[in-house]
Amino acid sequence: MVSVQVHPSDANKSLLPPGETGKTEAWVVVETSPESRIYAGLKPGTTPDDLRRALTNGTAVDRLMCFTPKPGDGVFIPAGTVHALGGDVVAFEIQQNSDVTFSLYDWDHVDAKTGQARPLQINQAIACIDFAQCAVGLVTPKVEGTTPLEREKLFDCEQFWLWRLRGGSPFTVGVAGMPRVLVCIEGAGNVEHEGAIYAVGKGDVLLLPAVVGACAFLPRGAVSLLEIGIPD
């Protein structure tokens, strides 16, 4: 299990090291097992005092919203959201360009190098939690097209956009004048640009610089891609 943690927002300036930003992120679930779990958000009514007591008496997990994910689920984790995941879940994560993480609870893990429990940052974490946040649920994809390509927008926020593309016939990826990132999560195919062919398979990540513009994607059978953009 990933530690129970929270990231500050851009507004938590006193908690951000110089040069860092807040960290909003999102997950697209790729693979799961019956033991897979996602924790996202606190149970309604939880206060800072409630959380501190739970951390002290070992019941912190009982204060978290939890569900069993399935492949294809999209989960949006705004900065200030307590979260964790694990149990043989594989997820693609997109995030703000930040490494600022405050851990609340680490499942009693021991650092193999020191033999000690890994450090926690409870005060900083509680300081940046959004206790007024509503429950964090699964994202409902916005369908933007169905033929010849199923195109869904999963995440649309100030920090990033993410679409899921599924199809078996040639389709277009990228857009003129804007950088895009492609991630293949199922199947395989080729990206074609100015006569050059770039093979893409499951797990591959391909950057389309802004100067490249739109390209043709030629699937080899059914394929599922994530396309990521930066908001205007």
Side-chain angles (χ1 to χ4, degrees):
M1 295 296 297
V2 173
S3 68
V4 178
Q5 58 189 246
V6 63
H7 309 299
S9 71
D10 292 333
N12 298 126
K13 298 189 183 302
S14 64
L15 298 172
L16 296 174
E20 285 284 10
T21 68
K23 188 175 177 183
T24 286
E25 61 187 29
W27 299 326
V28 180
V29 178
V30 179
E31 297 176 4
T32 62
S33 77
E35 291 75 37
S36 297
R37 298 291 183 273
I38 284 180
Y39 297 84
L42 296 170
K43 290 183 177 177
T46 299
T47 68
D49 287 342
D50 293 334
L51 186 55
R52 285 188 183 276
R53 281 193 294 269
L55 290 166
T56 299
N57 61 30
T59 60
V61 175
D62 295 339
R63 305 304 308 180
L64 304 180
M65 300 295 290
C66 176
F67 65 91
T68 300
K70 63 183 184 302
D73 285 347
V75 186
F76 183 59
I77 309 289
T81 304
V82 180
H83 59 280
L85 81 170
D88 292 327
V89 60
V90 178
F92 173 80
E93 180 177 282
I94 180 173
Q95 63 178 56
Q96 277 182 275
N97 186 22
S98 173
D99 288 326
V100 185
T101 299
F102 301 129
S103 293
L104 282 163
Y105 174 65
D106 198 28
W107 312 95
D108 301 320
H109 290 154
V110 173
D111 189 314
K113 293 182 179 179
T114 66
Q116 303 295 318
R118 295 188 292 196
L120 303 175
Q121 301 83 36
I122 292 174
N123 290 333
Q124 297 97 316
I126 290 178
C128 67
I129 292 173
D130 181 1
F131 285 92
Q133 181 185 59
C134 297
V136 175
L138 297 178
V139 170
T140 300
K142 179 182 178 181
V143 178
E144 296 185 345
T146 56
T147 55
L149 173 73
E150 183 180 343
R151 184 180 182 90
E152 302 172 314
K153 198 167 194 179
L154 284 178
F155 306 120
D156 183 351
C157 63
E158 294 181 4
Q159 294 82 15
F160 46 78
W161 294 331
L162 185 146
W163 295 265
R164 179 166 50 206
L165 316 177
R166 292 184 283 203
S169 301
F171 55 88
T172 299
V173 293
V175 65
M178 294 288 290
R180 290 287 168 89
V181 174
L182 299 181
V183 183
C184 183
I185 58 174
E186 197 65 52
N190 296 320
V191 173
E192 185 177 51
H193 175 64
E194 294 185 347
I197 299 293
Y198 302 88
V200 179
K202 184 176 180 179
D204 288 341
V205 179
L206 189 67
L207 171 66
L208 303 180
V211 69
V212 167
C215 300
F217 191 90
L218 311 176
R220 298 197 296 274
V223 68
S224 181
L225 301 177
L226 304 178
E227 182 172 343
I228 301 155
I230 300 171
D232 295 336

